[in-house]
Amino acid sequence: MKFIRNFMDKIEPDKKDSPFLHTLWDGFDTFLYVPAHVTKSGTHIKDGMDLKRTMIHVVLAMQLAFIIGMYNIGHQHYFALGLFPDFFAGFWEKLLYGVLQYLPMLIVVHVVGLGIEFIFATKKGHAIEEGFLVSAFLIPLVMPPAIPLWIVALATAFSVVIAKEAFGGTGMNIFNVALIARVFVFFAFPAEISGDEIWVSPDYSWLHQGFSGIASLFGSNDFFSMNAAAVAVDGYTGATPLSLAAKGGWENVQAYTVSIADQTYQPYSVSNLLLGNVPGSVGEGSKIAIILGALFLAVTRIGSWRIMLSMVLGAAFMSIVLNIISVQYGAELTNPFISVPWYYQFLMGSVFFAMAFMATDPVTASGTSTGKWVYGFLIGVVGIIIRVLNPAYPEGWMLAILLLNVFAPLIDHVVLQQNIKRRLRRVKV
Amino acid sequence: MSDLINIFVKAAFVENMVLIYFLGMCSYLAVSKTIKTAVGLGAAVIFVLAITAPVNWIIRETLLVEGALSWISPALADQSFEFLGLIIYIGVIAAMVQLVEMVIEKFSPALYMSLGIFLPLITVNCAILGGTLFMIAKEYSLAESTVFGIGSGFGFFLAIVALAAIREKIKYSAVPAPLRGLGMAFIITGLMGLAFMGLMGIKL
């Protein structure tokens, strides 16, 4: 591998003449090799776990959910056309379709976000911070697959500049960067991301056109199986499990059927919800893959298990309270959502995704151990409250986590003050 | 009872004076540098709102609304004195603030010094007058307006203490020089408002 080192040394730009290029070069160099930067004063290193490796661990943890999510985009596409209704039929076509649908968004987020990151790093005169690597994967995961790319670019720019660089860059932001990007789209372009209904479209992007064109050169005429019978469908609007539950409880979710090509399917059966065979954002889909990712984060101690556990406990607690209310006052209440059994609340929407990758963000969460329990528990409670009791929003985790981001420093402060008080009492005795 | 809880939650979270209506910005931004002073000012605002809302309600119902003074002479039966409302409400608020000021000066001179001019300025804090005017516009009863006053005071308290905690935390961040201080406070307040929008529309 010597030639890579030689190559990198040869193309190193001059630091004074072109600081921007040098920052860029430095960023890629530290990807390939351990940085040569040394601390000048005394150090306290207990592990070689630097920021870059931490971030890569998080990115690794989401890969399974990410791949299944991309595959699912392809599956929903073919499903809407009435082709390969079985989840695993037509595996490669679906995967390729998903990748082609998803790749442009991933590229746009990386180019916009890292571009801003590079400019700020050059201006401030430090090396590129790796924090955006995780955000760049998270932002596409929380966007609906069919969203226009310019909106994604705008949201990324907004969140990186306002929610991160203004606060001083990686590790100093108060609000979760990926969530600010999503909340920006949510309030600025509500039609694109409303969330109570979902647009599944067999329409295919310019990348697919290109691929189909190349394929047709080699004699394959319908690379994406866009045959005449299938194109008859222009796409369909489907209800999400959450909006169904808001209208008629869990029974309504189970009773929902879609009929495509003279076949009737039950899209929101328990197994489909667990596997991730539902239309929606890439990240929220497969509960199993997300839980595996969460376990990985908890075992490597990058995500706090305290936050994950207490968030699940908080959500379960609030759902059980609502269930009790619905049993007690069932007849007087008009909101059927509160009667949904608490364990089914976890199957719908993005509760596990929010738990694994959003709430555990070590920068925006509470820092103290007690604070983490409080923080996670309150996210669970507030998330269920917004989801169930707020008819304006179909899902609550995004806003619940942002709300608790606001209060995380306060929780830490109270915990610290309590600790100081407790220990001072010991001093007097 | 559930009605009162609903009003409290609504006033404190859903229709937060600071983060949804953006009222009372002046002292909110100026006194939120440290948590200690923020707690002091927040408590003062809760107290003033909790007193002024019901007192103003009583004054309005017994003296100002149309026909309230008909017991003096029948000629006043269709006479309304609501045009005097603003002056009287502010007067009541000023009196309450004076009271709070004296109490704080007596019991916590340090807090009195650190709050400085912003303590008497609660008088013209629009969150306080807003509390009274919203209460009138929403046609609350006496109990409801008391709960509303406490609720919106609590909302102000939460907002200012949360902002103070965040500002204490970012004191050590590498915030770009032009944004330090007030600039950052505005950005944080905007993002906090975004987060609080999640609670808008909640029906209990």
Side-chain angles (χ1 to χ4, degrees):
Chain A
M1 299 307 267
K2 190 83 179 146
F3 70 98
I4 302 181
R5 181 71 265 168
N6 288 341
F7 177 71
M8 289 307 283
D9 286 342
K10 211 168 93 186
I11 62 164
E12 176 176 359
D14 190 66
K15 201 167 183 177
K16 282 225 179 60
D17 288 347
S18 48
F20 181 76
L21 283 180
H22 190 272
T23 320
L24 203 67
W25 173 86
D26 188 57
F28 285 106
D29 188 53
T30 48
F31 263 124
L32 296 168
Y33 291 95
V34 176
H37 316 146
V38 214
T39 321
K40 288 182 184 77
S41 56
T43 51
H44 308 276
I45 298 172
K46 62 176 189 189
D47 193 351
M49 194 77 176
D50 63 349
L51 189 59
K52 207 167 256 180
R53 219 200 290 175
T54 312
M55 297 297 177
I56 288 297
H57 270 81
V58 184
V59 173
L60 277 181
M62 49 179 114
Q63 286 315 304
L64 192 59
F66 181 73
I67 290 166
I68 295 184
M70 281 200 299
Y71 178 76
N72 185 42
I73 294 179
H75 173 66
Q76 296 302 328
H77 160 78
Y78 284 107
F79 184 69
L81 293 174
L83 296 163
F84 308 127
D86 190 45
F87 190 64
F88 293 105
F91 185 83
W92 293 110
E93 277 104 332
K94 286 176 182 174
L95 192 61
L96 185 63
Y97 183 90
V99 171
L100 289 186
Q101 175 79 22
Y102 197 68
L103 217 52
M105 203 198 293
L106 201 64
I107 293 171
V108 163
V109 171
H110 272 91
V111 167
V112 172
L114 286 179
I116 294 171
E117 195 87 5
F118 286 155
I119 292 169
F120 270 88
T122 317
K123 283 265 180 225
K124 287 182 184 168
H126 59 63
I128 292 164
E129 289 163 334
E130 296 84 358
F132 189 72
L133 289 180
V134 171
S135 310
F137 266 88
L138 280 174
I139 291 172
L141 284 176
V142 294
M143 297 284 178
I147 193 165
L149 291 177
W150 65 270
I151 293 182
V152 177
L154 204 61
T156 310
F158 176 83
S159 64
V160 172
V161 173
I162 298 291
K164 191 159 131 206
E165 292 302 340
F167 286 85
T170 299
M172 301 182 183
N173 45 321
I174 298 293
F175 299 93
N176 190 314
V177 178
L179 283 179
I180 288 288
R182 189 184 152 103
V183 98
F184 176 80
V185 179
F186 192 85
F187 288 122
F189 306 98
E192 306 289 343
I193 199 170
S194 70
D196 59 338
E197 283 192 331
I198 192 136
W199 168 247
V200 180
S201 160
D203 193 13
Y204 59 155
S205 71
W206 53 271
L207 258 178
H208 303 128
Q209 303 273 12
F211 254 75
S212 287
I214 294 168
S216 70
L217 286 180
F218 294 99
S220 162
N221 228 351
D222 51 346
F223 187 68
F224 285 108
S225 303
M226 299 292 289
N227 52 39
V231 182
V233 194
D234 202 30
Y236 70 93
T237 318
T240 63
L242 287 168
S243 65
L244 289 169
K247 282 186 198 107
W250 180 249
E251 294 74 29
N252 199 19
V253 178
Q254 292 301 293
Y256 180 71
T257 53
V258 179
S259 56
I260 286 163
D262 302 329
Q263 292 250 29
T264 310
Y265 302 98
Q266 186 199 1
Y268 300 137
S269 65
V270 173
S271 64
N272 273 355
L273 286 169
L274 266 177
L275 191 62
N277 178 13
V278 286
S281 298
V282 175
E284 70 184 319
S286 175
K287 309 287 177 263
I288 295 171
I290 290 166
I291 290 173
L292 284 178
L295 281 179
F296 177 77
L297 284 182
V299 167
T300 53
R301 298 219 184 161
I302 287 172
S304 158
W305 60 269
R306 290 187 180 87
I307 294 177
M308 296 190 201
L309 183 63
S310 60
M311 184 177 155
V312 170
L313 288 179
F317 167 78
M318 196 62 215
S319 322
I320 291 171
V321 167
L322 289 172
N323 285 346
I324 292 171
I325 292 174
S326 88
V327 172
Q328 292 281 319
Y329 306 94
E332 304 163 33
L333 297 165
T334 51
N335 187 350
F337 208 153
I338 65 168
S339 69
V340 173
W342 63 272
Y343 38 89
Y344 286 136
Q345 292 277 9
F346 291 99
L347 281 182
M348 297 182 288
S350 54
V351 48
F352 284 121
F353 183 75
M355 175 200 83
F357 301 118
M358 295 298 188
T360 55
D361 177 3
V363 179
T364 57
S366 284
T368 53
S369 293
T370 321
K372 279 176 182 160
W373 284 105
V374 177
Y375 174 82
F377 192 82
L378 287 178
I379 288 179
V381 170
V382 174
I384 290 287
I385 287 178
I386 296 178
R387 173 195 271 193
V388 176
L389 297 178
N390 195 342
Y393 306 124
E395 179 62 302
W397 304 110
M398 162 182 80
L399 293 156
I401 293 174
L402 277 181
L403 195 67
L404 264 295
N405 280 349
V406 170
F407 291 111
L410 187 61
I411 294 172
D412 273 346
H413 175 82
V414 173
V415 170
L416 285 179
Q417 291 304 317
Q418 287 301 322
N419 198 27
I420 290 171
K421 238 186 229 166
R422 210 184 62 234
R423 299 189 64 161
L424 271 183
R425 225 178 290 141
R426 216 183 299 161
V427 167
K428 274 174 201 158
V429 175
Chain B
M1 189 60 206
S2 71
D3 221 32
L4 292 184
I5 295 174
N6 203 355
I7 287 176
F8 179 84
V9 171
K10 233 179 162 179
F13 296 102
V14 182
E15 291 170 358
N16 190 299
M17 278 291 178
V18 181
L19 296 173
I20 301 295
Y21 288 119
F22 289 93
L23 292 177
M25 278 285 120
C26 150
S27 46
Y28 168 76
L29 291 172
V31 191
S32 56
K33 283 196 194 82
T34 59
I35 296 179
K36 221 170 186 176
T37 52
V39 170
L41 189 81
V45 168
I46 294 183
F47 179 79
V48 172
L49 263 170
I51 303 280
T52 53
V55 167
N56 280 337
W57 187 90
I58 293 169
I59 289 176
R60 177 167 180 272
E61 289 296 310
T62 54
L63 299 175
L64 299 180
V65 290
E66 192 173 323
L69 293 178
S70 57
W71 53 274
I72 297 174
S73 117
L76 293 171
D78 52 356
Q79 187 66 281
S80 159
F81 290 95
E82 294 226 36
F83 61 90
L84 290 173
L86 276 181
I87 295 178
I88 292 177
Y89 304 148
I90 284 287
V92 171
I93 292 168
M96 279 306 125
V97 171
Q98 280 302 309
L99 188 67
V100 172
E101 212 184 331
M102 285 189 280
V103 170
I104 294 183
E105 192 180 6
K106 169 93 177 129
F107 289 104
S108 173
L111 179 63
Y112 180 77
M113 289 306 288
S114 55
L115 286 176
I117 186 68
F118 291 101
L119 190 55
L121 273 182
I122 297 182
T123 312
V124 286
N125 186 333
C126 39
I128 310 260
L129 185 62
T132 297
L133 295 180
F134 281 144
M135 159 205 98
I136 292 166
K138 288 173 179 168
E139 296 175 347
Y140 283 147
S141 70
L142 180 58
E144 282 171 342
S145 49
T146 314
V147 171
F148 177 77
I150 298 172
S152 27
F154 184 68
F156 185 90
F157 176 87
L158 262 189
I160 194 171
V161 175
L163 179 69
I166 294 177
R167 285 180 79 172
E168 278 201 358
K169 190 177 173 189
I170 65 166
K171 213 185 281 171
Y172 307 104
S173 302
V175 174
L179 283 177
R180 286 206 185 121
L182 217 49
M184 244 12 250
F186 273 112
I187 290 179
I188 295 168
T189 309
L191 294 177
M192 281 165 81
L194 265 186
F196 264 75
M197 274 174 87
L199 300 170
M200 269 167 100
I202 280 189
K203 283 198 199 110
L204 287 183

